[in-house]
Amino acid sequence: MKLADNKATLSFSNGSPSVDMPVYSGNIGPDVIDIRKLYAQTGMFTYDPGFLSTASCQSAITYIDGDKGELLYRGYPIEQLANKADYLDTCYLLLNGELPVGQQSKDFHKLVNQHTMVNEQMQFFLRGFRRDAHPMAVLTGLIGALSAFYHDSTDINNPEHRHIAAIRLIAKMPTLVAMAYKYGVGQPYMYPRNELSYAGNFLRMMFGTPCEEYVVNPVLERAMDRIFTLHADHEQNASTSTVRLCGSSGTNPFAAIAAGVACLWGPAHGGANEACLNMLEDIQKMGGISKVGEFMEKVKDKNSGVKLMGFGHRVYKNYDPRAKLMQETCDEVLKELGLENDPLFKLAKALEKIALEDDYFVSRKLYPNVDFYSGIVQRAIGIPVNLFTGVFALARTVGWIAQLNEMISDPEYKIGRPRQLFTGSPRRDVQR
């Protein structure tokens, strides 16, 4: 963060003296006005619901340019990482700032693979949940409970503890997600196999059984790895901000990540691809492709209350750069599994065609986003809709950890304490 040549001046129409505030510049992106002394100088706060115009931190991890449709991890375009690196190399990049080279990559892959098992008592903890519990409810409990098993890595202010916790979380998340799935369907848990890739291991733990050897399909393996990479981090979104805010209190990394999982569960955030598939299934029940036109007309009618899920994005005012990559993967997976003519997937393609050609959607830049395609891919692979957000949490864990580590290492970090504009009753006395 560097001081800009110019400064901002806040003036008041009531005659109060104006206030000068420093302006700081990042390497790319908008400048920021430093308002840290605003209250001390004026007795006033800023008002910014949703923090849409507020930079809560300085970060060197992820950069998004919504107008250009650009997403960078540590400076690298997401398109290049998705095509030239795997998920664990991306994890190394987010955690360490540089892509691993040669032996670094092999050592990191081996390190993660050596920590994929979870304590056997986790099985007994799982039994406390109903079989029909939402996987995100289960995962929130399981991840928070990790702090009860790993007392040697719960000091958030100790860099070595944070490193150990990071490896454990990245390694164990696929195991926990698969266990939550197996518990729900009543199948035996599958232990991880360290010789498999990160994505291949996850697929085996999800869909393998002790009855026969599970052979990883390389197309599905690549698809899962790409899903993980595309969701690894996304700047200061709701769940990342939750992890930072939770971690600012000094709580342990496992608790902070569990808080992020809970936030991600919301349908406006990580639950978006689940909501998208539910929308497709609702249209299918209404009559399928023959009703697509009618459904889209309802979407255009502001008074209908019908929403088009999986299209457009709050940040990207152009095409979501992850969506193009996921679209390619979607076509590969459907072809590999012979599902091009599956009614639900044909319906999804019909929706996609209208959204990409209809002036109403094109003019509003309501393009299909990554949630639209990733939901289709996951369903094709066999992942149940209610586990989509769990897979998202698995992928995003490394981003949360990287952001948490960065915050703790920042000498300017303080415990989060947002302010408010109070609109309740002023002081009054009890009359009795």
Side-chain angles (χ1 to χ4, degrees):
M1 188 166 72
K2 55 191 175 184
L3 191 65
D5 294 333
N6 61 312
K7 61 184 177 182
T9 300
L10 178 64
S11 60
F12 303 89
S13 60
N14 64 358
S16 297
S18 61
V19 177
D20 290 337
M21 291 173 288
V23 174
Y24 289 96
S25 301
N27 292 340
I28 47 177
D31 292 348
V32 299
I33 301 170
D34 187 348
I35 61 168
R36 284 176 287 184
K37 296 181 180 179
L38 181 66
Y39 179 62
Q41 292 175 314
T42 68
M44 290 188 289
F45 303 135
T46 57
Y47 181 63
D48 185 19
F51 311 110
L52 302 185
S53 298
T54 299
S56 62
C57 63
Q58 52 178 308
S59 180
I61 299 172
T62 301
Y63 175 75
I64 298 170
D65 188 322
D67 294 326
K68 291 182 180 178
E70 183 177 63
L71 171 61
L72 308 177
Y73 289 171
R74 300 285 191 179
Y76 293 104
I78 190 63
E79 299 88 341
Q80 294 180 22
L81 292 171
N83 289 318
K84 298 181 179 181
D86 65 16
Y87 176 67
L88 286 185
D89 284 343
T90 303
C91 289
Y92 186 97
L93 169 68
L94 291 173
L95 292 173
N96 299 295
E98 298 293 341
L99 281 167
V101 179
Q103 193 62 38
Q104 288 178 330
S105 178
K106 294 178 181 177
D107 289 345
F108 186 75
H109 282 64
K110 182 178 180 181
L111 179 64
V112 171
N113 285 342
Q114 287 176 337
H115 289 83
T116 51
M117 288 184 64
V118 299
N119 193 292
E120 281 291 284
Q121 286 182 271
M122 278 295 201
Q123 295 190 30
F124 304 114
F125 186 43
L126 263 169
R127 293 177 190 174
F129 293 97
R130 287 172 55 104
R131 292 278 181 180
D132 60 355
H134 195 287
M136 288 299 279
V138 176
L139 284 172
T140 303
L142 290 178
I143 295 163
L146 287 175
S147 59
F149 292 95
Y150 301 109
H151 303 289
D152 61 340
S153 58
T154 56
D155 182 358
I156 203 168
N157 295 307
N158 185 320
E160 183 62 23
H161 281 211
R162 294 202 306 272
H163 172 70
I164 294 170
I167 299 302
R168 282 173 171 164
L169 279 160
I170 294 168
K172 297 178 192 309
M173 277 296 287
T175 309
L176 294 177
V177 172
M179 286 177 71
Y181 168 68
K182 289 292 194 182
Y183 180 75
V185 296
Q187 291 184 4
Y189 307 121
M190 295 293 287
Y191 289 99
R193 294 285 294 269
N194 293 351
E195 74 272 14
L196 296 176
S197 72
Y198 190 85
N201 201 14
F202 175 66
L203 289 171
R204 180 183 174 277
M205 288 189 291
M206 282 285 293
F207 304 117
T209 67
C211 305
E212 56 190 15
E213 189 62 31
Y214 180 84
V215 178
V216 179
N217 183 313
V219 174
L220 305 189
E221 184 179 20
R222 283 196 304 273
M224 285 308 313
D225 191 85
R226 176 166 281 191
I227 287 175
F228 295 158
T229 298
L230 296 183
H231 289 86
D233 195 50
H234 210 239
E235 209 224 61
Q236 306 307 316
N237 53 74
S239 59
T240 299
S241 298
T242 296
V243 170
R244 279 181 171 261
L245 188 61
C246 185
S248 74
S249 73
T251 191
N252 68 78
F254 303 108
I257 301 306
V261 173
C263 179
L264 191 71
W265 190 356
H269 191 9
N273 50 14
E274 182 176 343
C276 178
L277 258 292
N278 288 334
M279 175 194 72
L280 291 175
E281 290 176 351
D282 288 342
I283 300 173
Q284 189 66 28
K285 291 174 185 175
M286 290 165 43
I289 289 182
S290 64
K291 296 293 182 179
V292 167
E294 181 182 324
F295 176 81
M296 293 300 245
E297 289 303 315
K298 290 181 180 178
V299 171
K300 296 177 186 179
D301 181 2
K302 294 181 179 179
N303 298 318
S304 70
V306 176
K307 293 183 178 181
L308 183 62
M309 306 303 296
F311 291 77
H313 196 280
R314 184 177 182 179
V315 174
Y316 298 109
K317 306 308 177 187
N318 206 316
Y319 201 78
D320 182 344
R322 302 168 299 171
K324 179 64 177 175
L325 297 161
M326 209 64 243
Q327 182 189 42
E328 297 169 0
T329 296
C330 182
D331 292 338
E332 290 173 3
V333 168
L334 294 182
K335 181 179 179 181
E336 173 68 16
L337 298 177
L339 293 173
E340 299 100 324
N341 294 318
D342 179 274
L344 195 72
F345 299 135
K346 288 182 71 174
L347 169 62
K349 287 295 182 181
L351 269 181
E352 175 193 40
K353 188 173 189 297
I354 293 174
L356 292 175
E357 297 177 358
D358 190 300
D359 286 340
Y360 177 89
F361 299 102
V362 173
S363 64
R364 290 166 174 76
K365 297 183 178 178
L366 293 176
Y367 303 114
N369 59 36
V370 69
D371 298 312
F372 179 76
Y373 294 113
S374 67
I376 296 170
V377 170
Q378 289 183 72
R379 187 183 185 278
I381 289 174
I383 297 170
V385 173
N386 68 353
L387 196 64
F388 287 179
T389 318
V391 173
F392 192 161
L394 187 170
R396 182 57 55 84
T397 293
V398 67
W400 289 331
I401 295 167
Q403 296 276 350
L404 184 65
N405 286 348
E406 182 181 65
M407 182 196 70
I408 298 297
S409 301
D410 185 346
E412 294 187 338
Y413 108 88
K414 297 177 176 63
I415 184 171
R417 181 60 170 85
R419 299 294 192 167
Q420 66 177 15
L421 176 64
F422 182 69
T423 57
S425 173
R427 178 188 169 94
R428 52 183 170 171
D429 296 323
V430 176
Q431 301 292 334
R432 283 193 175 179

